[in-house]
Amino acid sequence: MAEERQDMLRNIFDLYVTKKGNLNVTKFVNALEQMGLKKSDGRLEPFMTRMRNFQLAPAKGEEIAPIMPNDFAQLIGDAEELIVKAFSGNLVIPDFSTFKKTVTDIYEELKDFKSGNPADYIPQLARADPNLWAVSVCTVDGQRFDIGDIDQTYSIQSTSKPFNYAMALDLYGNEYVNQYVSAEPSGHGFNEIVLDVRNKPHNPMINAGAIMVSSLVEAEMNTADRFEYMQGIFRRLAGDLHVGFNNSIYLSERSVADRNFALGHYMHEHDCFPQGTNLEKVLEFYFQLCSIEAKCDSHCVMAATLANGGICPITGDKVYEPRSVQQTLSLMLSCGMYDYSGQWAFQVGLPAKSGVSGSIIVVVPNVMAMCLYSPPLDKLGNSAKGIEFMNRLLERFNFHHFDSLNHAVQKINPRKNMMTIEDSNRVSLFFAVGAGETGLVKKFYEKEYDFNAKDCNGRSVLHVASASGSESIIRFLIEKTEVRALFQQIRILPNFSSK
Ligand code: GLN
C-alpha cells in the first residue's frame, strides 16, 4: 500500500514536472484549484507554506530552490491523503469544472431576474441592495466555488435556527429537547402566534420554536458567555471563514420586536419555558443569533458541515454528533422554507433553510451544500432568486432525494462512484494521456494498466491522445498490439504506423 502511495505521489509529481525535473508549483496549484481545492484550505495551507519556504531557501547561485520528487514527498506531510484522493479522481464531485460551469450558467441566467422585495419589517434589512447576488458551493471534500457578490456580509437571520437546534440536540438529546419543541410543520407563517396540540411550538425552524431553543442552549451561562459560546460554534462550522456580528441589525430588530415579544409572552403564559427562564434575555439571545454575520462562502461552509454529518469539510473539526445533524436535516426538509416547505420538499427535495435577509442554505447530504444570497423575497419570505436558482439546478442534476427512482428523467449525477484500484488507474491513465505526458503513459504501460479501457465519455486512450494532439503518445500507442486492434477497429488510416 505504501508503495502504491509512493507511486501515486510520483505520478502526480510527473504530471507537473518541468524539463529540469522539478515541480512546476504554479501548474500543480492550478490543477488543485480546478478540482475545487483552494490553496487557503486549512488542510492544504501548511503544505503550501512549506513549499513556499522551501523555494525561498535556494542554494547559492539559484534563484529559487527547485522541488525534486523526494522533496515533494517530504513536504507533502498531512496533505498527502487529500492530494492523492484529488488526483485519483476520488473527490465527491470528480468533474468539478463541469459542475462549476453549470452553476455559473444558471447564476448568469438569473442575473437580471427580478421578483420580490427585501424584507421591510426590520428597518436595517429594508436597506439591502436588491441587486446583490451570490452563490457558493462547498462539497463534503471541501471543494469550493463562489460566484457573485461574495464579499458582501449579511446577517444570517433564520438560517441560524437549524444550527442552534443541532447544538441543543448535541448538548441535551432529542428526548429532552422534544419536551420543549415539537417536530411538526406548522402550516402557519414563521412568526404566527400559535402552538401545537401539546401547547408547544410546532418546530425549531419557526420563530416560536427557535425562541424556545434559545432558552435551552447553555442556559446557565451569563449572556456574554452564551453569545461568545454560540459565535464560537458558528466560527467552527464555517471553518474559520468570516463570521461576525451585525450590531445595527441586532438593535434594529430589537427595536421593532413586538411580534417576537408577543410570541415569547404567549409561550410564557402556556408555561412552555424551562423553569427560571428570563424571557427578555432569551429574546435578546435569539435576536443576537439572527444577527450573526456571514458571507456567502462562510455561510455555505456552515451548511456543508451539516452535509458532512457534523464535521467541517475544510478543517476536519467535528462540531456536531451525526445524530443531531440527521435530526436537524429531517426538520429542514419538512419545515425549513416557511409556508413553502411542502412545495419545496416536493419540487427540490432537499433539506434547506431560508432567512429574511435573503439567503437560503441547501444541503445535499454526503455530497455538498450551497448558499444562495439575493435579498428580494417572495410572498412567503424566501429569496425569490434563490428558489428559482434551485429549481433550475434541479432540472439538470439528480439531487432530489427521490431522483434515484425517476429513471425516465435524464439528469446528470455529478457524484463520484466508489472507485476500485482499476478505476483509479484508469483515471490516472486518461489524465496522463490528455495532458500529453508520454513518459508517464509509458510507465503505466509497463505497469500493465488497462489500455483498452474507455473514459467516462466512452472514448479510448487513442481518441483522447488524438484529441490532445500528442503525436508521441499516438505513436507509442499504435506500436502496442492491443491498441493497434482498436486502431483498426475505428478505421484510422493504417499508414500512420510506427516508424
Ligand atoms: N430575526 C428574524 C425574526 O425573528 C428572523 C426571521 C426569519 O429569518 N425568518 O423575525
Side-chain angles (χ1 to χ4, degrees), residues 83-283:
I83 287 184
V84 168
K85 191 174 186 188
F87 282 96
S88 54
N90 277 315
L91 294 175
V92 68
I93 300 189
D95 188 357
F96 198 65
S97 310
T98 306
F99 185 68
K100 255 163 52 175
K101 163 94 176 60
T102 310
V103 171
T104 307
D105 288 348
I106 306 176
Y107 172 89
E108 295 292 344
E109 279 166 33
L110 288 175
K111 240 182 175 165
D112 298 322
F113 176 93
K114 290 206 174 9
S115 176
N117 292 299
D120 55 9
Y121 75 104
I122 298 177
Q124 231 66 17
L125 287 181
R127 296 186 195 154
D129 175 356
N131 296 316
L132 291 169
W133 176 218
V135 174
S136 290
V137 177
C138 176
T139 72
V140 292
D141 280 324
Q143 297 164 276
R144 287 167 52 213
F145 173 59
D146 311 293
I147 184 165
D149 298 303
I150 49 164
D151 286 324
Q152 180 66 37
T153 56
Y154 56 85
S155 55
I156 64 173
Q157 293 299 330
S158 272
T159 66
S160 59
K161 292 173 175 145
F163 299 109
N164 305 332
Y165 177 57
M167 202 60 235
L169 291 171
D170 236 42
L171 290 170
Y172 313 114
N174 181 44
E175 212 175 304
Y176 177 81
V177 174
N178 191 257
Q179 288 174 28
Y180 294 97
V181 54
S182 303
E184 200 57 42
S186 74
H188 296 280
F190 71 91
N191 57 5
E192 204 128 322
I193 303 182
V194 57
L195 297 172
D196 71 2
V197 286
R198 304 192 300 163
N199 264 341
K200 312 277 176 216
H202 284 84
N203 68 70
M205 303 297 154
I206 52 171
N207 286 17
I211 292 169
M212 184 54 61
V213 170
S214 305
S215 77
L216 303 180
V217 175
E218 297 292 9
E220 69 294 343
M221 282 186 187
N222 71 48
T223 47
D225 286 349
R226 261 184 121 191
F227 176 72
E228 212 166 88
Y229 171 79
M230 257 334 270
Q231 197 183 32
I233 296 290
F234 279 102
R235 294 213 159 107
R236 288 173 58 200
L237 287 164
D240 292 329
L241 299 185
H242 178 82
V243 170
F245 175 69
N246 192 319
N247 196 37
S248 30
I249 294 274
Y250 166 68
L251 294 171
S252 176
E253 173 156 12
R254 203 180 59 167
S255 68
V256 292
D258 293 338
R259 174 57 70 107
N260 285 324
F261 272 98
L263 267 173
H265 285 294
Y266 185 64
M267 290 194 285
H268 203 251
E269 183 194 355
H270 284 87
D271 246 350
C272 295
F273 290 102
Q275 265 201 341
T277 297
N278 177 327
L279 184 56
E280 183 142 354
K281 285 202 167 124
V282 165
L283 283 161

